[in-house]
Amino acid sequence: MNKPLKMALNILIFALIAGFGYYIIHSMRSNEKNSLPNVENTFVSPYKMTHSFDVDSDILSFYIFEHKIYIASVDKISIFDLLGNHQRDFVVKSGIRDITVDHSAIYVLYPTEIILYAFNGQKKHEWQACSDNSDYCALTTTKNFVFVTDAENKNIVQYDKEGRLVRFIRSPNGFIIPSYTFDIININDTIYTANSGRHRIESYTLEGEFITSFGKSGAQAGAFAGCCNPVYLAQTATGNILTSEKGNPRISSYGRDGKFRTILFDAEMLGGGTAAYKMQTFGENIYIANKKTISVYSFDATLSERACVNSCAGCPFR
């Protein structure tokens, strides 16, 4: 057999073998695909997005107060109205951990200090952490006090509004705080904080006394999975508690008594990923931050009727 003919024959044999192999693999994949159950995502949220707006850098924290949205980014505080119209900025130093606002000031939290700004952006007051190795995560205020979570010392630090130390608050269960997941909020002078390593939310009086805790480990609705959930907390106008989780991101609703109500947003609706989504509420609207975008969701009665079909908690949305 001459050399060209032998080469052509070898190519033909190789092509036949390759074609047969492709046919086998394709058939196996087709059979595997056909054998998978037809899984449909039946989740329906009672909220729909009404609008969104972008800022010019990643959102580190944000807070809504009296029809204004205060957004902390790398080195400034930006103020928007509720529709996303930019109003003004003022410069701050970098390294922000959290921001909150009340009638007295804009409070900007750093790992080892708190700086208060007037609403015109002028610095009013500041104080240093009361411990040399503090690593502050989040803060909330009441009429007379400022409460700050400290991941390094694993406690809550209570100050008065002048920055004087009132007390350290320690969990009777012990705070376990991986990854700075140590959020804190105030609902009608009851302090709620995440004990994320224990998959719990704990409540305290203004005197630092432990009230109760709720939450459990698990991936199912009404439980917290992973090493450290929930990540963020928020309150609704009716006094319910919203939780935002990472890993399989979702936002859920709980009553102040700790009873699970429902999941409001699943990972697909939020946009996926693994990071927890920052959130705030105003009226019946929920504001959700993701990187440089804030999306606004409003309650929809029609959607809530559909969502009730899949809710095991009796249509508990408001």
Side-chain angles (χ1 to χ4, degrees):
M1 183 180 296
N2 58 43
K3 187 174 182 179
L5 183 59
K6 184 176 181 181
M7 183 177 295
L9 184 60
N10 288 337
I11 292 172
L12 178 60
I13 293 172
F14 176 78
L16 290 172
I17 294 173
F20 181 73
Y22 173 81
Y23 171 78
I24 295 296
I25 294 172
H26 180 72
S27 297
M28 291 175 63
R29 288 179 176 174
S30 298
N31 290 335
E32 180 181 354
K33 182 177 180 180
N34 292 334
S35 65
L36 291 174
N38 184 17
V39 178
E40 181 181 356
N41 183 4
T42 59
F43 175 78
V44 177
S45 172
Y47 288 85
K48 67 176 181 180
M49 190 174 74
T50 57
H51 63 282
S52 65
F53 63 94
D54 294 335
V55 298
D56 56 10
S57 57
D58 284 352
I59 299 168
L60 302 179
S61 180
F62 76 107
Y63 195 84
I64 301 176
F65 180 74
E66 291 194 337
H67 297 86
K68 299 289 190 297
I69 307 173
Y70 297 80
I71 299 175
S73 54
V74 175
D75 56 1
K76 67 181 178 181
I77 304 299
S78 300
I79 303 171
F80 292 77
D81 66 20
L82 295 178
L83 295 177
N85 298 309
H86 179 252
Q87 298 191 336
R88 63 188 184 276
D89 302 323
F90 61 90
V91 176
V92 297
K93 73 175 187 177
S94 61
I96 297 172
R97 284 284 171 80
D98 197 12
I99 182 175
T100 194
V101 185
D102 64 19
H103 288 95
S104 61
I106 302 167
Y107 296 76
V108 181
L109 182 70
Y110 294 88
T112 58
E113 65 180 325
I114 301 169
I115 303 178
L116 280 62
Y117 292 90
F119 290 96
N120 62 6
Q122 297 298 311
K123 185 185 292 186
K124 292 181 58 175
H125 187 38
E126 64 182 305
W127 65 83
Q128 297 295 315
C130 53
S131 174
D132 292 337
N133 65 338
S134 290
D135 197 354
Y136 288 163
C137 290
L139 82 165
T140 191
T141 64
T142 66
K143 180 180 178 180
N144 298 314
F145 301 110
V146 179
F147 292 83
V148 183
T149 58
D150 187 340
E152 180 64 27
N153 292 301
K154 296 178 175 56
N155 59 24
I156 301 170
V157 187
Q158 183 179 357
Y159 295 99
D160 67 17
K161 286 293 186 72
E162 297 302 316
R164 292 183 288 261
L165 176 66
V166 177
R167 62 176 59 88
F168 297 109
I169 302 170
R170 293 178 172 83
S171 169
N173 305 307
F175 287 119
I176 300 177
I177 310 297
S179 307
Y180 299 101
T181 50
F182 202 1
D183 206 6
I184 188 168
I185 59 173
N186 165 37
I187 304 179
N188 297 330
D189 287 341
T190 297
I191 304 302
Y192 293 84
T193 187
N195 192 346
S196 56
R198 296 192 183 278
H199 302 117
R200 308 284 287 177
I201 295 170
E202 299 183 356
S203 58
Y204 295 84
T205 68
L206 296 187
E207 290 71 40
E209 297 175 354
F210 175 80
I211 300 173
T212 189
S213 66
F214 65 89
K216 60 183 178 181
S217 300
Q220 71 273 27
F224 302 119
C227 72
C228 36
N229 272 312
V231 177
Y232 300 116
L233 306 176
Q235 68 178 88
T236 69
T238 55
N240 293 323
I241 300 169
L242 302 185
T243 63
S244 179
E245 301 172 54
K246 68 176 183 176
N248 180 24
R250 61 186 178 185
I251 293 175
S252 302
S253 173
Y254 292 81
R256 289 185 62 188
D257 58 0
K259 184 178 180 180
F260 172 68
R261 295 164 67 81
T262 191
I263 295 175
L264 298 179
F265 300 87
D266 67 356
E268 181 178 347
M269 187 174 182
L270 288 169
T274 59
Y277 288 73
K278 304 174 183 68
M279 60 187 175
Q280 290 286 313
T281 68
F282 190 86
E284 290 195 345
N285 290 343
I286 300 177
Y287 294 70
I288 299 175
N290 180 27
K291 297 180 180 178
K292 300 179 181 180
T293 302
I294 290 183
S295 300
V296 185
Y297 295 84
S298 63
F299 183 84
D300 186 287
T302 302
L303 289 174
S304 72
E305 292 176 3
R306 293 174 53 198
C308 283
V309 175
N310 300 313
S311 172
C312 61
C315 202
F317 297 119
R318 296 194 180 192

